[in-house]
Amino acid sequence: MKHTEMTSEELMALSEKNIMGTYKRFPLVLTKGAGASVWDKNGKEYLDFVSGIAVCSLGHSHPRVVEAIRQQAGVLTHVSNLYYIEPQILFAKFLVEHSFADKVFFCNSGAEANEAAIKLARKYASLQTDGGMYELITMKDSFHGRTLATVTATGQERFQAGFAPLPAGFMYVPFNDLDALEHAVTEKTCGVLVEPIQGEGGVRIPAAGYLAGVREICDRHGLLMILDEVQVGMGRTGTFFAYEDYGVTPDIVTMAKALGNGFPVGAMLATERVASVFTPGTHASTFGGNPLAMAAALATAEVMTGEGVLENCRDVGVYFLARLAGLKGKYGFIRDVRGKGLILAAELAIAGDDIVRACMEKGLLINCTNGTILRFVPPLIITRENVDRAMTILDEVMKNI
Ligand SMILES: *Cc1c(COP(=O)(O)O)cnc(C)c1O
């Protein structure tokens, strides 16, 4: 039987039967998307304030990205990094011109970008000393990925349970605590890995001066400052890179989620001084930077920086946060609302699951992280009317909780 002839129920049963159970899925088979909307197999439309978790930032099926993928797929999909790759050269130039960085390494996911950053930091440190400097300080409640090294970098034990022995060389301090960071530095420390805004950890915003303080500590102790912008980079906070608004210049930045607007792409950016320790043979990725991925990423980046998307993100973000603050005034179980650009959250005093499900039934997709924190990461192209629609649904749902 063709999948188009199967019902949602049949497809979901087949999924449970054949796919490893690493995800708890909502009972929804999504088959189509355009802009800020997605449709399920039964033709029901949903306003998508999840965007594949901060991935489809230009909205679903953005015509420029679709065209770039179609065009490139018809010409050249993949060749090895044994050869020069035109769209990769162009996209690297774009990233360098729009950032602190001098050099880029391409891969396929956020975990892989962080894995590359960890290796680069260790390699760099190993050449400074006799090899005794390898430890990275990361933050509690952080999220850096699911590979062994990145899940170890992740400061949340629930993601690490059962996977011992974990790689050595990671230390954790509370986010937003410069004293704790200062005290954790030892002669083994080679760098600090931090998300400018903690995404999975619950949209936790850096305190005023925090990231500049991290930079200062890094400078004083000769440590690399590594920013994980996998979730909050690529325009999500209203600037192309999240660090831009915090007055800091990192040594290494990692990116992924929105980089290809849904096409898997990851990247690690670094200054020349640091990047120069990666020489032929030190690190690699078969698919990293392949022509198709780079065509998608270049088209995404051009639209992101060229068509008022960042301005819209900032403008609608402020409006959205004010609407959330309005709900907070109305419902005592909303403890806090916060965010920047279009990564926003409502922290609840109650579990968020029922609210997420009820919103879904009314045609709005939102996400809950850490059990009680509603996270909103819509496409950056949403309008105030989209926000109004979402807030009407959320209000109706909260009224009946
Ligand atoms: C999602 C995420 C990752 C992991 O990215 P994958 O593509 O799932 O490997 C790493 N860091 C942050 C901050 C993320 O949000």
Side-chain angles (χ1 to χ4, degrees), residues 109-112 114 143-146 195 200 228 230-231 256-257:
S109 69
E112 223 188 317
N114 285 330
F143 185 81
H144 299 296
R146 302 290 199 146
E195 296 159 84
E200 301 300 311
D228 178 345
V230 168
Q231 185 158 158
K257 286 191 167 79

Side-chain angles (χ1 to χ4, degrees), residues 133-392:
M133 227 173 120
Y134 54 83
E135 210 161 70
L136 281 175
I137 301 175
T138 74
M139 304 303 142
K140 291 189 174 144
D141 297 317
S142 60
F143 185 81
H144 299 296
R146 302 290 199 146
T147 62
L148 263 184
T150 59
V151 88
T152 308
T154 295
Q156 302 191 60
E157 280 171 16
R158 65 194 170 103
F159 292 119
Q160 300 164 348
F163 300 124
L166 298 170
F170 296 91
M171 284 261 312
Y172 315 96
V173 297
F175 185 61
N176 269 336
D177 187 340
L178 290 173
D179 279 344
L181 178 60
E182 178 79 53
H183 284 107
V185 176
T186 69
E187 70 284 353
K188 286 190 201 152
T189 313
C190 71
V192 177
L193 171 61
V194 58
E195 296 159 84
I197 293 173
Q198 290 191 329
E200 301 300 311
V203 190
R204 295 183 201 282
I205 307 290
Y210 174 66
L211 291 171
V214 172
R215 177 74 268 180
E216 192 273 320
I217 290 171
C218 286
D219 286 342
R220 198 148 31 77
H221 294 280
L223 312 177
L224 296 175
M225 180 174 184
I226 309 167
L227 292 180
D228 178 345
E229 294 214 4
V230 168
Q231 185 158 158
V232 298
M234 276 300 277
R236 179 57 54 188
T237 63
T239 50
F240 191 73
F241 289 93
Y243 72 79
E244 291 172 38
D245 241 8
Y246 293 103
V248 293
T249 306
D251 300 294
I252 301 174
V253 163
T254 55
M255 309 177 79
K257 286 191 167 79
L259 212 48
N261 205 49
F263 199 97
V265 189
M268 179 197 49
L269 287 62
T271 60
E272 176 64 39
R273 177 174 63 98
V274 182
S276 62
V277 305
F278 264 8
T279 52
T282 44
H283 194 53
S285 165
T286 294
F287 295 125
N290 92 6
L292 193 53
M294 294 292 100
L298 185 60
T300 302
E302 284 174 354
V303 176
M304 181 76 71
T305 50
E307 294 182 12
V309 178
L310 297 175
E311 293 79 3
N312 187 70
C313 171
R314 290 195 289 269
D315 176 58
V316 177
V318 167
Y319 177 71
F320 192 170
L321 188 57
R323 292 295 312 264
L324 285 174
L327 283 183
K328 178 171 181 279
K330 202 166 159 186
Y331 299 106
F333 58 79
I334 303 182
R335 273 203 188 129
D336 184 32
V337 296
R338 56 180 177 261
K340 188 166 190 300
L342 282 169
I343 176 161
L344 301 175
E347 181 161 357
L348 310 177
I350 54 173
D353 281 0
D354 289 346
I355 292 177
V356 171
R357 270 175 189 277
C359 284
M360 189 182 87
E361 273 152 31
K362 290 183 186 295
L364 170 68
L365 302 185
I366 58 171
N367 165 257
C368 178
T369 180
N370 268 355
T372 58
I373 300 165
L374 301 181
R375 175 174 46 173
F376 308 94
V377 279
L380 308 183
I381 48 105
I382 55 161
T383 60
R384 289 181 179 223
E385 290 68 38
N386 293 147
V387 173
D388 289 340
R389 171 97 191 103
M391 291 301 98
T392 301

